[in-house]
Amino acid sequence: MDIKTQRVIAVLGMHRSGTSAISRAMRVFGIELGERLIPPIKDNNSKGFWEDFDILAINIEILNQLEWSWYHLGPINAGHVDFLRKKGILSRAAKVLEQKVGDAPVFGFKDPRVAKLLPFWHVVFEQCKFNVSYIITVRHPLSVAMSLTKRDDLDQTSAYLLWLGHVIPSLSSTANSSRVLVDFDRLIEQPDRELNRIATQLNLTVNSRELHEYKSEFLDKGLQHTVYCTKELDLDNQCPQLVREVYTTLLKVASDQLQLDDSKLLSLVDCWTQELERLSPILNLTDDLTQKLAIASKNLNARNEHINSLKQKVTLRDERIAVLETAVNGRDKQITNLKADIDTRDVRIAELGNNIIIRDKRIEILEWAVSGRDDKIAVFEKKVATLDNRASRLATEIETIKQSMTGKILQKVAWAKNLLGHH
């Protein structure tokens, strides 16, 4: 297939403006979206972003190279595109898009960043020589501002300026191209009519089965979250007059009261573009201040994180100190108890010491008494020895007397016998 005959349809629009709903609707027309789609995120796009991961990665890299954020207000210019070309991003973007399109008769993609980066993507489309059409989505600016305030904490004035920075370039940069403008709230209210408008203006065919599935399984009132009327913009003093003018005019386009290629609208778009360009120095200054504020906020957050980390460490130290104090209190109680035990032991030792002294005195008295007894015993032993000597002498004397008496008795017995014998 000749690549020049292949169609690419890009969905353009501000963040939170229903670009995901339009991207999902491209299946109704048989448009290929690729197989690397970003998955849904709860409380953000729970029904899916319907964005190609690789194309999104290119856009994010562009913003990083330019040191921009997705909420950058200033416009991209030819100098930026030339810078990105030298970085090799443009050729890589063309290669990625060619791979995505492949042999598909019609390939579609969306990323709200594309509306801001159209000068870059126009060069990519020209290099690839694709037949490009555009679906431009708009949504009530107050709904967008409220959604961004809730999701990203973005102030309403910045959200309105960001809305202008996406919507006006989507109109001015697609002049003389095949395009259609769709209002998100009208799509939710009357999907058949709006999808048929897209099919008619972009020469597409509606698949009835896919349309039924789209309406029954994807679309629901919950996608709107908020619905406002145009008068509410007049009551919001944060809303620039240009936002009111652009939106009320585009509502006429969305309801086919005014055509996108009407000379009156083209003239208005030129005026809006010039007014946006006149605001560019202020927008760039706002971006610089926002970036500095973001850096300061980041540094502040880093310091706060450091402080919180220190607080956590202090808390841990306090908890550790409390544990140690509890342990010390426990030790103090143990020490007090041990001191009490020691005092008790000291009293007992003192008592035992007194008892020992008393015992020592009693022993001394007993030793003195024993010494007295020993002296008496010595005297008695001396007297006993004397008596023993006397007894020994007496025994000797008695023995001598016995022997003497025995001899005399024997002599008398012998004399008596002799006497008796003579008779």
Side-chain angles (χ1 to χ4, degrees), residues 310-321:
L310 292 176
K311 285 181 178 179
Q312 290 178 356
K313 290 180 180 179
V314 169
T315 300
L316 291 175
R317 297 294 190 281
D318 289 341
E319 292 175 355
R320 179 61 178 162
I321 288 171

Side-chain angles (χ1 to χ4, degrees), residues 180-285:
V180 61
L181 184 140
V182 180
D183 177 69
F184 174 68
D185 292 326
R186 292 174 67 88
L187 174 68
I188 297 296
E189 295 295 332
Q190 296 180 314
D192 292 86
R193 183 186 64 186
E194 293 306 309
L195 293 181
N196 278 303
R197 281 183 67 248
I198 294 173
T200 299
Q201 298 192 42
L202 297 186
N203 193 26
L204 298 169
T205 302
V206 173
N207 182 303
S208 57
R209 183 180 60 81
E210 289 286 349
L211 175 60
H212 174 74
E213 181 179 329
Y214 176 69
K215 291 191 298 181
S216 61
E217 296 183 11
F218 181 83
L219 282 186
D220 62 60
K221 291 287 186 178
L223 292 174
Q224 282 181 291
H225 299 294
T226 57
V227 180
Y228 297 104
C229 65
T230 54
K231 292 182 179 179
E232 290 181 83
L233 288 176
D234 297 326
L235 300 176
D236 187 358
N237 56 14
Q238 296 186 69
C239 179
Q241 180 60 38
L242 183 59
V243 172
R244 300 186 185 98
E245 181 181 339
V246 172
Y247 180 62
T248 53
T249 302
L250 295 184
L251 283 181
K252 295 178 181 179
V253 176
S255 60
D256 293 328
Q257 299 175 47
L258 183 65
Q259 298 301 311
L260 275 173
D261 295 327
D262 188 288
S263 59
K264 180 180 178 181
L265 178 62
L266 293 176
S267 178
L268 281 174
V269 171
D270 287 339
C271 292
W272 296 340
T273 301
Q274 291 174 14
E275 190 167 347
L276 193 60
E277 287 176 353
R278 285 195 294 269
L279 288 174
S280 62
I282 297 175
L283 298 179
N284 290 331
L285 176 61

Side-chain angles (χ1 to χ4, degrees), residues 337-367:
N337 293 336
L338 289 172
K339 284 183 177 179
D341 289 343
I342 290 170
D343 291 340
T344 302
R345 299 294 190 283
D346 289 341
V347 171
R348 180 61 178 159
I349 289 170
E351 291 175 352
L352 292 173
N354 290 333
N355 291 337
I356 289 171
I357 293 172
I358 293 171
R359 298 294 190 282
D360 289 343
K361 287 182 179 179
R362 290 181 64 184
I363 289 170
E364 185 180 350
I365 293 170
L366 290 172
E367 287 179 344

Side-chain angles (χ1 to χ4, degrees), residues 45-101:
N45 266 12
S46 58
K47 291 199 172 185
F49 291 87
W50 304 97
E51 291 179 11
D52 183 87
F53 179 86
D54 299 308
I55 293 176
L56 173 63
I58 290 289
N59 288 328
I60 290 175
E61 184 179 359
I62 291 171
L63 295 178
N64 290 338
Q65 288 291 340
L66 297 176
E67 297 183 354
W68 288 3
S69 61
W70 65 268
Y71 49 84
H72 189 86
L73 299 176
I76 187 173
N77 55 42
H80 294 134
V81 175
D82 188 54
F83 169 78
L84 296 169
R85 186 196 304 272
K86 292 177 181 178
K87 289 288 184 178
I89 300 176
L90 197 149
S91 60
R92 279 193 285 114
K95 184 177 180 180
V96 166
L97 188 58
E98 287 175 347
Q99 291 174 344
K100 296 292 176 183
V101 173

Side-chain angles (χ1 to χ4, degrees), residues 145 148-149 152-162 238 286 290:
L148 291 177
T149 299
D152 303 291
D153 199 27
L154 197 68
D155 67 89
Q156 282 187 224
T157 300
S158 295
Y160 285 133
L161 293 174
L162 199 61
Q238 296 186 69
T286 301
T290 301

